[in-house]
């Protein structure tokens, strides 16, 4: 998905790390929570989202996603 979006000129980020990956919180998480956090993290992407994003830019992003899912 990341490669697909980049090839279409859509900047995608991955911004939200699992809280258990931060040294302070790591000690509070069980191994199962750490594993699940890593699994979820690998499936996340942050779409462009900011106040100046125009309607045309939103439509462009939506169309790129539709191409990816085959809609």
């Amino acid at each position: 998905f990341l490669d697909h979006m980049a090839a279409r000129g859509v900047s995608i980020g991955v911004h939200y790390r699992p809280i258990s990956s931060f040294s302070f919180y790591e000690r509070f998480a069980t191994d199962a929570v750490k594993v699940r956090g890593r699994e979820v993290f690998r499936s996340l992407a942050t779409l462009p989202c900011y106040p100046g994003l125009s309607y045309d830019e939103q439509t462009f992003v939506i169309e790129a996603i539709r191409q990816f899912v085959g809609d």
Side-chain angles (χ1 to χ4, degrees), residues 10-59:
V10 179
S11 295
I12 298 268
V14 180
H15 297 102
Y16 303 103
R17 292 179 22 209
I19 196 161
S20 62
S21 70
F22 294 94
S23 58
F24 178 81
Y25 296 104
E26 181 180 23
R27 61 187 161 177
F28 300 110
T30 64
D31 287 341
V33 167
K34 292 174 188 176
V35 168
R36 184 65 182 137
R38 286 191 297 270
E39 290 171 353
V40 170
F41 178 71
R42 286 192 297 268
S43 67
L44 295 177
T46 304
L47 298 172
C49 180
Y50 53 92
L53 191 66
S54 71
Y55 179 80
D56 289 342
E57 291 169 323
Q58 293 173 44
T59 302

